[in-house]
Amino acid sequence: MPDTLRPHQRAIPLAVRVLALAGASLLAACAQPGPPHEALARTAPQALGLTQTGADTASLPQVRWWTALGDAKLNTLIDQALAQQPSLAVARARAAQAAALAEARHAANGPQAQLTLDATRQRYTANGLVPPPVAGNVYDSANLQASLSWSPDFFGLHRAELEASLGQARAAQADAAAAGNTLAVQLARAYVTLARVLADEEVAQQALVQRQAIERLTRERVDAGLDSQVELTQTQTALPDGQAQIEALHEQATLARRQIAVLAGQAPDTLNTLAPRLTALALPAVPEVLGANLLGRRPDIVAARWRIEAATQGVSAARSEFYPNINLAAFVGLNALGLNRLFDASSRQVGIAPALRLPIFDGGRLRAQLGGRQAELDAVIAQYNAAVLDAVKQAGDGLASAASIARQQSLQAQSEAGADKAYRFAQERYGAGLGNYLVVLSTQTQVLAQHRQAVALQARALDVRLALMAALGGGWSDDTPALQVAAH
């Protein structure tokens, strides 16, 4: 078949081949990133004993988990803390800042258009490079120019940088959620501490009344010649000791109230009359087993996971630095010496400015930068694994302690019932004239000791449940509507 193609038509494939060969040569001349990096492995939930089925949703913390304690005053205080606590405001501001940076990165990756207008009045030196008649005279000059630039993302650099920024923004938002949950837990635990101190103070007041009764009865026996000054001195010594215990508990209550006020974002002395009752606080429900969904409900773990995503994209961005970077720019405008000539057709200026950046020899800078990003990725994966391990331990410890305290309370209730029974028998014998009232008071000592133990166990049961609320994520989830992320 005869060759009917014209010479310029036969030249087109040759030009394409030449350009392709030139492009391949340029790519071959680029600095090389080296072999792929094998990142650390993430800890699998199964390796930590987490079940795949997960816990019953009803037994997991809800978003406002503190309402399960059944105290309206506590609900109000935590709501105030979440709304006005300065430390939480700082965490939210950091999240907003990270989201704004991601938005700025997204905007910077698109086409950029700019309009500039400037005017200058200048006397030009007569002894410089500018020739007459401009030299030695004063002239006005102006420049009106529109420019457009765009850097195509052929090798994924801009996309990776944006994804890294979005990962950091989402991590910061999860950190803010973790700070809010931590604040709520701290305030609730301080509230329980205050309730325990006030309950201990009630028992201490009863013990002081008992010691006063023993001192009074001992004094009567000394006057009757039935006891000596030794017994009287011993009973009198117990009185200031009891009063000191009450004063120490009063101090603890004052400090607890001040701590609660500050956590709620209020002045330290605004809650001087706050008096929660330990018996009025209910125990929140807890799951029987730990499921793999725990890792998605803890904001600190989710934040660590987003940091892995950001670091992974950082590695991709660093690897993209080894490839050509192309920037396309164009401008059109007017420029003239003399304002009266600015809009003349001859004052127009038009130009294009394509640019190609190709790293060839950089002294190992890009490879070192890539190595640093890869090391950063390994570090955040290790931090994630540590956070997962710590989360499973905290949750497991909470479940184990909750179960143990329940058994301790059952055994202590038996001891308390026995002490109450012995106290009643002593009272009955004294009423029947068969016993000494000192025996009654001595038996009451065991009752008071059991009351202290009951208060301690009840407070500890509540405190463990609150710590478990934090360990289980506090009802948070990664799709919480209140958390906003920068849009692609």
Side-chain angles (χ1 to χ4, degrees):
M1 180 177 181
D3 187 358
T4 60
L5 293 177
R6 297 178 181 178
H8 73 275
Q9 290 177 315
R10 291 195 300 269
I12 292 176
L14 178 61
V16 172
R17 288 196 295 271
V18 170
L19 289 176
L21 180 60
S25 300
L26 288 175
L27 290 176
C30 289
Q32 297 300 314
H37 172 70
E38 187 69 27
L40 291 178
R42 300 192 205 181
T43 300
Q46 299 82 354
L48 300 175
L50 298 178
T51 64
Q52 289 298 317
T53 55
D56 181 16
T57 304
S59 63
L60 290 172
Q62 303 305 308
V63 175
R64 291 172 51 84
W65 54 263
W66 52 87
T67 59
L69 278 77
D71 192 298
K73 182 62 176 178
L74 175 61
N75 297 342
T76 301
L77 289 171
I78 292 181
D79 289 341
Q80 291 174 348
L82 295 177
Q84 59 194 32
Q85 226 292 327
S87 62
L88 187 56
V90 171
R92 288 171 176 163
R94 288 173 178 167
Q97 181 185 31
L101 291 175
E103 291 287 1
R105 171 61 65 182
H106 174 59
N109 290 342
Q112 306 294 308
Q114 187 175 11
L115 178 65
T116 59
L117 172 62
D118 59 80
T120 305
R121 184 173 180 81
Q122 177 181 350
R123 182 189 185 279
Y124 293 86
T125 175
N127 301 313
L129 296 178
V130 180
V134 176
N137 295 304
V138 176
Y139 282 89
D140 295 325
S141 62
N143 180 64
L144 176 62
Q145 180 171 295
S147 59
L148 177 67
S149 64
W150 178 48
S151 179
D153 193 20
F154 291 122
F155 300 100
L157 173 62
H158 301 327
R159 180 188 57 79
E161 290 176 337
L162 175 59
E163 291 296 334
S165 296
L166 287 172
Q168 292 293 350
R170 291 180 174 118
Q173 289 171 336
D175 284 337
N181 190 45
T182 299
L183 176 61
V185 170
Q186 288 177 340
L187 198 153
R189 296 180 79 173
Y191 196 82
V192 169
T193 297
L194 176 59
R196 177 192 60 78
V197 170
L198 295 178
D200 282 339
E201 190 173 353
E202 290 181 4
V203 177
Q205 291 284 2
Q206 296 173 7
L208 180 61
V209 171
Q210 179 210 32
R211 293 182 182 188
Q212 291 171 341
I214 293 175
E215 189 272 340
R216 184 172 57 255
L217 183 57
T218 303
R219 183 183 297 278
E220 293 174 357
R221 289 176 62 84
V222 169
D223 292 342
L226 299 177
D227 281 333
S228 66
Q229 289 293 327
V230 175
E231 287 80 3
L232 179 60
T233 302
Q234 288 177 337
T235 56
Q236 290 175 337
T237 303
L239 294 179
D241 179 66
Q243 293 169 342
Q245 293 180 18
I246 294 174
E247 182 58 34
L249 291 169
H250 182 70
E251 177 197 8
Q252 294 177 31
T254 299
L255 297 180
R257 290 189 180 101
R258 291 173 64 84
Q259 180 185 14
I260 292 171
V262 171
L263 288 173
Q266 304 179 31
D269 295 325
T270 55
L271 300 176
N272 290 338
T273 60
L274 182 63
R277 297 195 62 81
L278 198 61
T279 54
L281 298 174
L283 290 175
V286 296
E288 295 182 0
V289 296
L290 293 178
N293 54 2
L294 166 67
L295 304 185
R297 295 178 63 90
R298 283 193 46 137
D300 57 336
I301 292 180
V302 173
R305 192 167 66 233
W306 278 119
R307 289 192 175 91
I308 292 176
E309 175 64 20
T312 301
Q313 296 298 331
V315 171
S316 298
R319 187 173 289 275
S320 298
E321 292 279 1
F322 287 85
Y323 301 106
N325 184 19
I326 299 175
N327 186 68
L328 304 177
F331 64 90
V332 59
L334 301 168
N335 186 281
L337 187 64
L339 296 181
N340 59 326
R341 303 177 60 186
L342 177 63
F343 294 100
D344 291 351
S346 58
S347 298
R348 68 184 183 277
Q349 57 180 4
V350 180
I352 59 173
L356 172 65
R357 172 188 169 274
L358 181 64
I360 299 178
F361 302 110
D362 65 349
R365 179 183 61 84
L366 291 179
R367 185 171 293 186
Q369 178 177 291
L370 175 60
R373 293 292 182 89
Q374 292 169 340
E376 180 183 354
L377 174 59
D378 287 341
V380 295
I381 292 176
Q383 291 170 357
Y384 169 84
N385 291 340
V388 168
L389 185 61
D390 190 52
V392 175
K393 178 184 180 300
Q394 289 177 6
D397 288 351
L399 292 178
S401 294
S404 176
I405 292 173
R407 292 190 293 270
Q408 293 177 49
Q409 286 181 304
S410 177
L411 295 172
Q412 188 276 326
Q414 298 177 28
S415 299
E416 187 172 11
D420 288 338
K421 186 175 182 180
Y423 181 55
R424 287 197 309 272
F425 285 161
Q427 287 179 316
E428 292 172 0
R429 285 178 58 81
Y430 175 74
L434 301 177
N436 191 317
Y437 194 66
L438 282 177
V439 176
V440 176
L441 295 175
S442 177
T443 307
Q444 187 186 18
T445 301
Q446 295 298 320
V447 174
L448 294 175
Q450 288 300 322
H451 286 175
R452 291 192 189 92
Q453 184 68 10
V455 167
L457 285 174
Q458 188 174 11
R460 188 159 175 247
L462 284 165
D463 187 74
V464 166
R465 297 291 179 106
L466 295 177
L468 189 55
M469 293 299 103
L472 294 175
W476 184 83
S477 60
D478 197 15
D479 59 352
T480 303
L483 293 179
Q484 301 295 327
V485 299
H488 283 66

